Amino acid sequence: MKEITVKRIASGVPEAEDVRRLMDESSVEFNPIDTVNWIEYPYCPKVEFRIAHTGAALMLHYRVSEASVRAVAPGDQGRVWEDSCCEFFVRMANEPEYYNFECNCAGALLLNFGRKGERQRGPEEILQKVKRWTSLGREPFEERIGECSWELTLVIPVTAFFKHRINDLSGMTMRANFYKCGDLLQTPHFLSWNPIDLPQPCFHCPDLFGQIFFEK
């Protein structure tokens, strides 16, 4: 099982546009999302992420280089996993239910909570609190063929964990996995940070999440 210590950065709830600078100033390192779990889908674009927190919010920064990009989902709670999509699945350390934050390269976000097959959609007012920035802009677009590099940042306030009451992330331990997919891209792919030992592509496997420790 892979593990990450999530560095604490002295800040409130920053804007998504400030995440890269804050992480650079605190020397937060990138982690690769490069595990090809299923031989039927061998394509492995270059994907990496880094994660930090402020106590009041969790920050994510993804960097991607892939052979094509797609952002067809028209808005939040759409089928973003069919686009160029980065995902963060997380659960409290001893609970079977989990959150999935899935965001395409145009910033459209999907957020649900629960067990596999019993998912509850995140309320609209909660999704609006998750701040997003993407280097490709926020407008949907059809697939663009050709090598493309892009970046995505998310600021997830503690209130986005809408089934829990979290005041401060400091000192918490959670189970999580980080993914990159593109189900309907020219070259579909299903990459993970922590390996997934299942016969077919499935990211909804909380028993196979890695572990993240939030620095005090």
Side-chain angles (χ1 to χ4, degrees), residues 13-16 127-133 153-157:
V13 179
E15 297 303 316
L127 273 82
Q128 291 176 353
K129 294 179 180 179
V130 178
K131 301 178 181 180
R132 306 154 229 176
W133 170 87
T153 62
L154 300 175
V155 177
I156 302 173

Side-chain angles (χ1 to χ4, degrees), residues 80-94:
V80 296
W81 64 90
E82 296 176 347
D83 295 335
S84 298
C85 188
C86 294
E87 304 184 355
F88 170 55
F89 283 37
V90 62
R91 66 182 176 96
M92 305 304 136
N94 298 312

Side-chain angles (χ1 to χ4, degrees), residues 79-113:
R79 300 173 67 85
V80 296
W81 64 90
E82 296 176 347
D83 295 335
S84 298
C85 188
C86 294
E87 304 184 355
F88 170 55
F89 283 37
V90 62
R91 66 182 176 96
M92 305 304 136
N94 298 312
E95 299 181 13
E97 297 87 1
Y98 58 95
Y99 296 89
N100 55 301
F101 295 85
E102 307 179 21
C103 195
N104 75 3
C105 60
L109 180 66
L110 171 69
L111 168 59
N112 294 324
F113 173 80

Side-chain angles (χ1 to χ4, degrees), residues 1-3 12 37 55 73 75 81 84 95 135 141 176 214 216:
M1 179 195 303
K2 292 185 178 180
E3 299 178 350
N37 299 285
W81 64 90
S84 298
E95 299 181 13
S135 60
F141 58 86
F214 291 87
K216 292 184 178 180

Side-chain angles (χ1 to χ4, degrees), residues 2 31-49 62-67 81 85-89 177-183 187-196 201-205:
K2 292 185 178 180
N31 305 276
I33 301 176
D34 60 0
T35 303
V36 176
N37 299 285
W38 300 282
I39 58 174
E40 299 92 338
Y41 300 97
Y43 176 56
C44 185
K46 180 174 174 57
V47 186
E48 55 188 2
F49 75 97
Y62 295 91
R63 292 197 305 205
V64 181
S65 293
E66 56 186 332
W81 64 90
C85 188
C86 294
E87 304 184 355
F88 170 55
F89 283 37
N177 213 344
F178 303 82
Y179 306 121
K180 170 66 177 73
C181 64
D183 290 31
T187 309
H189 52 276
F190 304 91
L191 306 180
S192 68
W193 166 65
N194 200 62
I196 301 172
C202 178
F203 290 164
H204 293 266
C205 45

Side-chain angles (χ1 to χ4, degrees), residues 4 34 39 44 73-74 79 86 139 144 156 158 164 168-169 192 210 212 215-216:
I4 293 177
D34 60 0
I39 58 174
C44 185
R79 300 173 67 85
C86 294
E139 295 298 320
R144 301 170 182 171
I156 302 173
V158 291
H164 293 80
D168 190 336
L169 292 165
S192 68
I212 56 177
E215 191 175 81
K216 292 184 178 180

